[in-house]
Amino acid sequence: MAYVIVGTCINDAACVDVCPVDCILPRPNDPRFREADMLAIDPAACIDCNACAEACPVNAIYSEHRLPQALQRYRRINAELTGRAVT
Ligand code: SF4
Ligand code: SF4
């Protein structure tokens, strides 16, 4: 299980600073950050700690097993945006 960012993300990077394993991408010092529509969580690296979800000001982060049906596509989108194979 991993956490998943959805399309309501406003790219303020509040979650990036609190992630203990640095698995939220792109980071603000990455040139791709400026062009990113949303940030994404690497599902293979996430340790399910919930810190990002608590830090997000717009509730754009869900635990994978609590992701509403209408937002399931973001599992694939997070995997693709972080360069992981889709499971
Ligand atoms: S749940 Fe924890 S490890 Fe996973 S992305 Fe959020 S802060 Fe990082
Ligand atoms: S804290 Fe929420 S709104 Fe901010 S970058 Fe992370 S997911 Fe997006």
Side-chain angles (χ1 to χ4, degrees), residues 16-84:
V16 174
D17 288 339
V18 300
C19 180
V21 294
D22 289 335
C23 69
I24 304 176
L25 306 171
R27 299 184 186 94
N29 60 0
D30 184 323
R32 289 169 293 186
F33 180 83
R34 216 183 274 261
E35 285 91 45
D37 292 328
M38 57 177 277
L39 301 196
I41 292 171
D42 178 345
C46 174
I47 59 169
D48 297 338
C49 74
N50 197 55
C52 55
E54 288 180 8
C56 181
V58 294
N59 296 320
I61 307 179
Y62 291 80
S63 171
E64 190 176 357
H65 69 268
R66 300 179 78 171
L67 194 61
Q69 193 61 37
L71 299 175
Q72 285 290 326
R73 68 186 184 281
Y74 285 102
R75 287 182 64 243
R76 176 180 53 78
I77 290 169
N78 276 239
E80 288 178 350
L81 289 175
T82 56
R84 294 292 180 181

